[in-house]
Amino acid sequence: MASIPHSPVVFTGKATASDLLRSSSNGVSGVPLRTLGRARFYGSRKAGDLGGGGVVAKIRKVKKHEYPWPDNPDPNVPGGVLSHLSPFKPSKERPKPVTLDFERPLVDLEKKIIDVRKMAQETGLDFSDQIVSLENKYQQALKDLYTHLTPIQRVNIARHPNRPTFLDHVFSITEKFVELHGDRAGYDDPAIVTGIGTIDGKRYMFMGHQKGRNTKENIMRNFGMPTPHGYRKALRMMYYADHHGFPIVTFIDTPGAFADIKSEELGQGEAIAHNLRTMFGLKVPIISIVIGEGGSGGALAIGCANKLLMLENAVFYVASPEACAAILWKTAKASPKAAEKLKITATELCKLQIADGIIPEPLGGAHADPSWTSQQIKNAINEYMDELKQMDTQELLKHRMLKFRKIGGFQEGIPIDPKRKVNMKMKEELVAGKTPVLELEGEVEKLKQQISKAKESSGKAPEVALNEMIEKLKKEVDLEYSEAVKALGYQDRLAKLREESLKANSQDRLINPILMDKIEKLKDEFTQNLSAAPNYASLKYKLDMLKEFTKAKSISEKNSKALALKQKINNKFKEVMDRSDIKEKMEALKAKIHMSEAYNEGDIDEDTKESIAKMRQDMELELANMFKSLGLDVEIMKTKVKELSEQTPIPDFKAKVESFKEQTNKKIEDLIHSSEIKNLIDILKLEAAKAGNKPDVTTKNKIEALEQQIKLKLSAAISSSEIKDKYEELNVELSEAMELDGSLKNNDLKDGDAKPDESRVEINLGANSSIA
């Protein structure tokens, strides 16, 4: 209350005693109330004046709420003991989409769908077919991606920020749920949540690790890493459930127990060990469900159950892949390899009989459809609880004990399986994962655009990018073939044939034709059944791309060689034509023709014709020498142009010659594809590959013997009576029709019909190409 200063008052009139008495009730002694209404107040100038002092009142400031305990009694518990006063509620904000690295091709495809829909709305055109096609492509790509996930990819999905938490699932599957707090020692760890809930009218005790849905919640929940108080709270609820006969359902989702100094001081290891011992003695059924990642003892402290179930993309490990890689390979970059070796996925753990069942997830992970995932969890709980409730107490305890006793069991004196022994001795190779078809399509389209741009500018394909793509496609095709072999069940047969083949090669002997027949039969059978392989579509696409790019590379190399050779020939030809002696001869010949005053070929005299013919012969010899200097074989063939040009064409005879050629070629092809010749050719190829660039004498003799054997068989087939008779018949008909008296030799018939050119220079480019 504020003080009011006042000064002596001058009274007018008379004041009665009663007035003076009544005035004391207002706190001003001797001042009548009526007078106060008319009085004027002045501030005092001197402290010693009568009535010059002041009345002062202060209001004490107090807190709105005071509690007998401090806000944060234990720094190890984020949020303090009152953190449970802020209950878990549905998030008002929609979680931001998070794209994992291997999901980026799907995002690109989704953006295309959005762009097409936006274009359809803006333009008013009908793009429904394109949208349906893109959506089907997206669904197929999503299916291909999530059905062939690697272990490290499943780890990333289990750690996804938008993955539903323990309380998300509990609120979805229960009709009623009451959260229970505290460890009865003054602490409440928010990283572990416990409570009683009902499913289809049946009561259960729920407990599990709770992560946050955003940064603020994660800090409050300590990122799902419990302290000793959390495990003691879970232990208290276990005793409570055991006393009242409530079955226990635990949800595991933690990277591990919180391993700071304070937790160790408060007995982290003792709290976990106490939980492990207690859970094996509980007389109620226990089901544990790994909904995310289950790390080390922090997960096992509430995971000693009769049934351990895992979501499809959950992981359960003794050490994280990053920690394992840092210990074994001294770098966290080897985490994909560590994740594969640790066998931490649901499928691998079921094979090892550590996990008892897999709960399916939607394509895209549990965060793609949380309610559907929760319903699958509910169905699994009902199914397995019905099974466990049929057991009596002793049977239930024995079942739980035997489940963990059989893990990692072995017996001395039993020999190791030969297959396992071989696998243990095999050299460790890092096999790269397959590239998704969608991602590969993007790379292929990008390379095609580069090739088209390069051809427009320089006419030459980008060699480095083309070679890299071909090598990558070769590796991808090998991986696809290996996967198809496993899927179709040919792995054992192929391994057996490979061992027999390697054994034959190691003993330095030819492969048995029977073994070659087995290989051919297996090859044919595999080719026929290849379309039934689950990865046939991706294999076919990669194989087609490999053929296309290999063909493009071959054409590019041929074009490059042809351009280089053409440039060399032009340079050499220019050198020859620029020589002084050639120029003098050409000028003399031109002058001679000019002096003869001939206007056409018929007016040229014989002397000039001889000079032209001689000049032509000299030029042919010069060109032949020029080609030989370039390492090219030259053959000059003269044809009887006049005789052939004067003859009347015989189309019927040409048809007979073509038919004879086809029959001969078919005979040779059939012989080459026969099992006997084919086996010899395959053996020859194996010997040549084995010999390498520098074969020894024994191998060289083997190769020559095989070549001679193949030649003899081909010669015997070509020299058969049927082909000989046909050839003689055609030769006689040709001689009679053209009246050349046998002037055409066998070589002319073999070379086919001569074209009416005056001469031809044939240049053989090695063994496979020629320029005429």
Side-chain angles (χ1 to χ4, degrees), residues 18 121 163 298 303 331 333 349 362 437 493 504 513 616 623 635:
S18 60
Q121 291 176 356
R163 193 171 178 85
T331 173
K333 292 182 179 179
L349 292 172
V437 175
R493 292 171 62 185
R616 182 177 177 180
L623 289 174
E635 182 182 355

Side-chain angles (χ1 to χ4, degrees), residues 39 84 207 367 425 428 498 504 714 736:
H84 65 275
M207 58 187 68
H367 54 279
K425 290 184 179 180
E428 191 176 282
R498 188 182 287 123
L714 289 174
E736 290 176 356

